[in-house]
Amino acid sequence: MKKILACLLILALGLGLLAGCGSGAKPAADKDKTYLLKIGMVVTEQDPMYLGAMELKKNVEARTKGKLKIQVFPSSQLGTTDDLEEQAKVGANVAVITDPARLARAVPEIGILGAPYITDNYDESRKLATSKLFQGWADKLQSHGFHVLSFNWYQGDRHFLTNVPVKEPADLKGLRIRTPGSPIWQGTISAMGATPTALSWSEVYPGLQQKVIDGAEAQHPAVFGAHLHEVIKYITKTGHFQLMTGLVCGEKWFSTLPKEYQAILLEEAVKAGDFASKKTLDGLKDYEAKMKAAGVTINQVDIAPFKKATEVVYEKNKLVDLRKQVNEVLGKK
């Protein structure tokens, strides 16, 4: 009988220990374990997004005493944005600077941040990207395998890049314009009269050079960084997208971090996004001056006709009601 009672006691203690291990409690940071996050992006080392990622690396490694290491890979070294999203989704230790239009394939509502003329400037874009409304959409991404570290990485407003002058939407008719392959972005370019053509960013320069495409649309830092001013004659400042992007990693990888490191990474990602955004804003005039000096004509046009042409995008993508919610956040009628 004593032996039986002893065995039962040992079994009970063992079950208690197992229950404690499965309680879901997150351990404190393991002093001996190191973690690595690889950040990939399509832009070059001169781009504000790269500089922001390097600022993130510096601050996160300092606060974690080197236990959470970050490596930054510009110029598509780790693959395209779509490639990196897929890697993150399945649990790889990667993060990517990505846009809301791509993430809309998982959570449609988030795509409105990349809809045409949804915001008019950086301040409005940041207000939306840091709102409770946006956070609700970001939370939904977790069930699709993504974790938004921050979404306040402003890359500038996007304009048309062509070799023929563009003054109104009719001038875009028949032009093959490179734009990312998301439905909202392609629908926007189509609504303005052009033929949207999906190419990876690294293929835009040779595509323009070899006349595979007639033009593209992008923000100044990316245009200058990719030397596109060498193969275009005109930049038409339509500002059809305010490109507010985010730093996104995989939910599987993020959940392996101790809570202490999770908090540090989230806090520093917001700070780094603001750092990168300021670099963008401070450099826009300089980019324009350099591209003008290289022979590019930069035209300011009346954007009212372009805005009117893109109204159909909200209807086709069933974003009319969601746009009203966004306007409430922004204090617009």
Side-chain angles (χ1 to χ4, degrees):
M1 181 62 71
K2 288 182 179 179
K3 287 183 178 180
I4 292 173
L5 290 173
C7 289
L8 288 173
L9 180 59
I10 291 170
L11 179 61
L13 288 171
L15 289 173
L17 288 171
L18 287 173
C21 290
S23 65
K26 195 77 176 178
D30 187 331
K31 292 182 179 179
D32 297 319
K33 186 171 183 180
T34 59
Y35 301 83
L36 173 65
L37 178 63
K38 300 177 181 180
I39 299 177
M41 60 194 71
V42 300
V43 295
T44 66
E45 292 182 9
Q46 288 74 43
D47 195 276
M49 299 304 103
Y50 175 83
L51 300 177
M54 292 301 291
E55 182 75 2
L56 177 67
K57 168 185 170 65
K58 179 184 73 175
N59 294 334
V60 167
E61 291 183 355
R63 289 184 64 183
T64 63
K65 295 180 173 57
K67 297 303 181 182
L68 174 50
K69 296 184 180 298
I70 292 178
Q71 295 176 350
V72 184
F73 297 86
S75 304
S76 303
Q77 290 176 18
L78 292 182
T80 66
T81 302
D82 289 338
D83 291 338
L84 287 167
E85 281 191 12
E86 285 303 310
Q87 292 176 41
K89 187 176 182 178
V90 298
N93 58 328
V94 299
V96 59
I97 298 286
T98 189
D99 58 80
R102 284 185 170 88
L103 295 174
R105 291 175 291 200
V107 177
E109 301 97 314
I110 208 168
I112 200 166
L113 193 65
Y117 300 108
I118 189 65
T119 57
D120 293 321
N121 50 51
Y122 163 71
D123 290 333
E124 287 186 357
S125 298
R126 190 185 189 285
K127 185 174 183 179
L128 176 57
T130 55
S131 68
K132 290 182 179 179
L133 179 64
F134 180 85
Q135 187 58 50
W137 306 333
D139 290 343
K140 289 183 181 180
L141 281 171
Q142 294 180 22
S143 63
H144 294 273
F146 299 111
H147 198 105
V148 175
L149 299 178
S150 65
F151 221 93
N152 59 323
W153 298 64
Y154 184 64
Q155 299 196 40
D157 40 357
R158 291 174 76 97
H159 309 300
F160 282 103
L161 323 170
T162 59
N163 283 305
V164 296
V166 173
K167 295 182 180 179
E168 57 184 0
D171 295 330
L172 291 166
K173 188 175 182 180
L175 296 184
R176 295 161 297 174
I177 299 294
R178 183 271 175 185
T179 194
S182 67
I184 291 178
W185 282 27
Q186 294 228 328
T188 296
I189 301 308
S190 179
M192 288 190 280
T195 300
T197 304
L199 282 177
S200 66
W201 183 245
S202 61
E203 294 175 341
V204 176
Y205 188 104
L208 286 164
Q209 200 173 39
Q210 298 163 18
K211 301 189 186 308
V212 173
I213 52 176
D214 301 307
E217 55 84 35
Q219 65 281 9
H220 286 349
V223 174
F224 189 79
H227 301 281
L228 298 188
H229 56 286
E230 298 174 356
V231 287
I232 60 166
K233 294 179 180 177
Y234 299 94
I235 294 177
T236 304
K237 295 184 69 175
T238 49
H240 46 275
F241 299 129
Q242 295 289 331
L243 187 55
M244 182 64 86
T245 53
L247 181 62
V248 179
C249 67
E251 179 63 26
K252 286 182 181 178
W253 177 83
F254 185 80
S255 65
T256 67
L257 291 178
K259 284 192 178 297
E260 177 186 346
Y261 293 174
Q262 289 180 0
I264 289 172
L265 185 56
L266 291 170
E267 289 170 11
E268 293 301 333
V270 173
K271 294 177 184 177
D274 285 341
F275 177 91
S277 298
K278 187 176 187 305
K279 288 286 186 184
T280 295
L281 292 166
D282 290 346
L284 290 177
K285 288 183 179 179
D286 185 51
Y287 286 124
E288 281 199 6
K290 288 177 178 176
M291 289 189 285
K292 283 181 179 179
V296 176
T297 299
I298 301 179
N299 291 324
Q300 186 76 54
V301 295
D302 179 10
I303 64 171
F306 293 92
K307 276 190 171 185
K308 185 177 180 180
T310 60
E311 284 295 320
V312 67
V313 175
Y314 290 89
E315 297 166 10
K316 285 186 176 180
N317 290 276
K318 299 180 180 179
L319 296 172
V320 175
D321 289 338
L322 193 57
R323 187 187 199 179
K324 292 177 181 177
Q325 294 179 45
V326 168
N327 285 342
E328 287 179 9
V329 170
L330 299 177
K332 293 183 175 181
K333 293 183 179 180

